[in-house]
């Protein structure tokens, strides 16, 4: 059976958390739109959803106002440790040609509009300090290794072998991040895990999800992690199913309090709910269920195989940008969802 062409679409987030300095809002908006133009250009040229999300996230990693890549905030030791992941669900015309189980699997849902055979692949890195664009390394892990998740020095050694340039750790530390680290140190004295988690809600984790004309569906997420986190802490952005997930039904990227996102497998639960729902209500319900389970704060962006987009958050502020052929490029500062008692 021939697959009809899909409506390409892309949505990205720049983190959910505190409102942040008003003076930075215009620059954040400009950076989001510049990143979205890169991703949208790929989709308009009939490129893949995977290419689009990686290009969008890499552009945001390069901007110092986002807590990812070059803008990453510092851990309790005053160093950068970054997490990132990518996942790609690709339609396969010949089911016999699906990749081995270690790299992908069949996915579908009887009666669902996207009940085709899909190959699903993923790659992730955790606690890396010497890679300018962790999302590029996550993709290399997916495409050029037999593994899904690599961490620390081993991931950086793999980057070298894959031809990804390494930098000195201090090159990833911006003066802005250093000043914020010093300010937190002065205010709180010694960092503790509980205090680090409470401090998690600064702006910055970045992510993108997309669907392309051929039905490819991708998600990517990157972060510097919790400000002041303990050395070696890994958050949801490195974990497939928590901060990133893609499937025949759609894709999701999350931002917020990573421990809560991990505990609720937020992105996987939201994407699988697309089998029986549309992105806007599914995104809202996913956040409400996370609140019920953990009382935490987070945000999620979601796309389905038809190119329909949804997002929701319960934090002070969340920034998103979106693209589709009908609506073009748009930027939004989202209002938080009402978190009162559900009917």
């Amino acid at each position: 059976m021939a697959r009809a062409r899909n409506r390409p679409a892309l949505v990205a987030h720049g983190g959910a958390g505190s409102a942040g300095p008003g003076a930075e809002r215009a620059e954040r908006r400009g950076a989001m739109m510049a990143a979205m133009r890169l991703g949208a250009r790929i989709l308009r040229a009939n490129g893949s959803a995977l290419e689009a999300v990686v290009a969008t996230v890499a552009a945001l990693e390069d901007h110092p106002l986002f807590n990812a890549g070059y803008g990453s905030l510092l851990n309790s030791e005053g160093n950068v440790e970054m997490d990132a992941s990518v996942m790609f669900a690709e339609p396969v015309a010949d089911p016999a040609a699906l990749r081995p189980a270690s790299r992908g699997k069949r996915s579908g849902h009887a009666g669902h509009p996207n009940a085709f055979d899909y190959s699903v692949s993923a790659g992730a890195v955790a606690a890396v300090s010497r890679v300018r664009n962790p999302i590029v390394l996550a993709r290399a892990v997916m495409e050029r290794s037999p593994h899904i998740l690599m961490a620390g020095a081993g991931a950086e050694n793999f980057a070298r072998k894959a031809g990804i340039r390494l930098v000195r750790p201090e090159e990833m530390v911006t003066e802005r991040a250093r000043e914020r680290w010093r300010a937190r140190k002065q205010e709180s004295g010694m960092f503790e895990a509980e205090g680090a988690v409470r401090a998690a809600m600064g702006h910055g984790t970045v992510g993108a999800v997309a669907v392309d004309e051929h039905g490819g569906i991708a998600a990517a997420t990157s972060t510097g992690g919790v400000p002041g986190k303990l050395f070696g802490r890994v958050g949801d952005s490195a974990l497939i199913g928590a901060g990133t997930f893609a499937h025949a039904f759609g894709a999701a990227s999350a931002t917020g309090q990573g421990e809560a996102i991990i505990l609720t497998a937020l992105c996987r639960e939201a994407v699988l709910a697309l089998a029986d729902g549309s992105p806007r209500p599914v995104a809202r319900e996913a956040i409400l269920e996370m609140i019920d389970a953990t009382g935490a704060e987070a945000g999620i962006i979601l796309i389905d195989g038809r190119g329909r987009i949804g997002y929701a958050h319960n934090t002070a502020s969340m920034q998103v940008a979106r693209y589709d052929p009908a609506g073009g490029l748009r930027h939004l500062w989202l209002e938080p969802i009402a978190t009162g008692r559900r009917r």
Side-chain angles (χ1 to χ4, degrees):
M1 179 171 62
R3 168 181 275 278
R5 283 194 175 270
N6 290 57
R7 184 182 74 171
L10 169 69
V11 59
H13 68 77
S18 61
E24 294 180 354
R25 289 173 70 93
E27 187 174 353
R28 286 181 181 277
R29 180 187 184 281
M32 287 286 291
M33 293 301 283
M36 286 294 292
R37 280 190 285 272
L38 291 175
R41 187 178 305 131
I42 290 168
L43 293 180
R44 283 195 294 260
N46 204 25
S48 76
L50 176 63
E51 293 282 354
V53 297
V54 170
T56 301
V57 168
L60 294 171
E61 288 177 331
D62 288 337
H63 198 284
L65 286 185
F66 296 94
N67 180 19
Y70 180 59
S72 294
L73 298 176
L74 308 184
N75 66 12
S76 59
E77 305 299 313
N79 301 315
V80 163
E81 286 186 302
M82 301 169 289
D83 303 333
S85 60
V86 63
M87 191 167 185
F88 187 36
E90 185 177 14
V92 177
D94 178 10
L98 285 170
R99 302 172 196 174
S102 62
R103 297 297 303 280
K105 66 177 184 177
R106 294 182 65 169
S107 62
H109 186 275
H112 189 270
N114 287 342
F116 286 77
D117 289 298
Y118 272 73
S119 173
V120 184
S121 299
V125 294
V128 296
S129 301
R130 302 182 59 202
V131 179
R132 180 83 180 202
N133 294 110
I135 198 65
V136 173
L137 179 54
R139 181 180 181 180
V141 170
M142 178 179 76
E143 295 181 332
R144 303 175 64 179
S145 87
H147 308 306
I148 288 178
L149 174 61
M150 299 186 71
E156 292 168 357
N157 185 56
F158 175 76
R160 183 186 293 109
K161 293 178 178 179
I164 296 172
R165 185 174 71 90
L166 298 180
V167 300
R168 297 190 304 274
E170 57 268 27
E171 291 181 51
M172 299 301 296
V173 179
T174 65
E175 186 56 34
R176 175 178 179 270
R178 181 67 69 189
E179 289 175 358
R180 292 189 172 198
W181 179 81
R182 290 184 185 125
R184 286 193 302 273
K185 191 92 168 178
Q186 290 172 356
E187 290 173 3
S188 60
M190 296 297 292
F191 285 108
E192 298 179 0
E194 183 180 354
V197 171
R198 284 198 300 267
M201 296 313 298
H203 257 294
T205 294
V206 301
V209 295
V211 60
D212 60 44
E213 287 192 358
H214 305 289
I217 302 166
T221 311
S222 181
T223 191
V226 177
K229 65 186 179 180
L230 296 180
F231 173 65
R233 181 263 189 185
V234 175
D236 67 286
S237 297
L239 302 182
I240 298 302
T244 304
F245 195 69
H247 184 274
F249 304 149
S253 172
T255 173
Q257 291 179 268
E259 281 69 17
I261 294 169
I262 294 168
L263 284 172
T264 55
L266 183 63
C267 285
R268 183 179 186 275
E269 290 299 304
V271 169
L272 295 185
L274 291 172
D276 302 304
S278 58
R280 288 184 64 184
V282 165
R284 182 178 184 276
E285 185 66 18
I287 294 298
L288 288 172
E289 289 182 357
M290 184 213 63
I291 296 168
D292 285 350
T294 68
E297 295 185 350
I300 189 170
I301 57 172
L302 196 59
I303 197 167
D304 72 5
R306 301 173 183 172
R308 298 181 299 177
I309 290 168
Y311 25 68
H313 75 101
N314 66 323
T315 68
S317 178
M318 182 170 173
Q319 176 188 13
V320 301
R322 57 182 290 170
Y323 161 76
D324 64 75
L329 286 163
R330 286 172 283 171
H331 177 275
L332 304 95
W333 291 98
L334 302 181
E335 292 293 326
I337 63 173
T339 56
R341 189 178 187 85
R342 288 188 282 174
R343 295 178 182 178

